[in-house]
Amino acid sequence: MTIDQIIDLPFTTDAMKAAVERRIIQAPELSDQEKHDLSVTLAGLDAPRLATLVETVLGHAIESGPEILPYLKRIGQQG
């Protein structure tokens, strides 16, 4: 699927943003200002940009080592 084929489904996009927002808030290594800046940036993402973010972060995690693979399998099996 190309970025042009991604449809902005508000519920899905908002749910993904909320999940990322939770991780930002829980990150102890980020300052309050960094958390704020990331939250503002995240709020401005549309569906294609959010998909690009997920693709980039997931790609980096996969390239960094196999630690993410059991997690991906577990999520995939949940249906």
Side-chain angles (χ1 to χ4, degrees):
M1 177 178 291
T2 68
I3 293 295
D4 296 339
Q5 294 172 312
I6 295 172
I7 298 170
D8 186 5
L9 302 173
F11 176 77
T12 303
T13 302
D14 290 346
M16 290 179 66
K17 285 181 179 182
V20 174
E21 180 77 19
R22 281 191 302 274
R23 295 306 297 250
I24 290 170
I25 290 169
Q26 295 172 355
E29 64 276 359
L30 296 177
S31 70
D32 288 343
Q33 184 62 48
E34 290 169 322
K35 290 178 184 181
H36 172 76
D37 292 347
L38 286 170
S39 294
V40 169
T41 299
L42 179 64
L45 296 180
D46 58 7
R49 287 195 210 146
L50 188 58
T52 299
L53 173 66
V54 171
E55 177 184 14
T56 301
V57 171
L58 190 54
H60 178 71
I62 291 169
E63 291 169 2
S64 294
E67 296 84 11
I68 189 89
L69 298 179
Y71 178 74
L72 289 174
K73 287 180 184 175
R74 191 169 56 249
I75 292 293
Q77 291 170 352
Q78 290 177 357

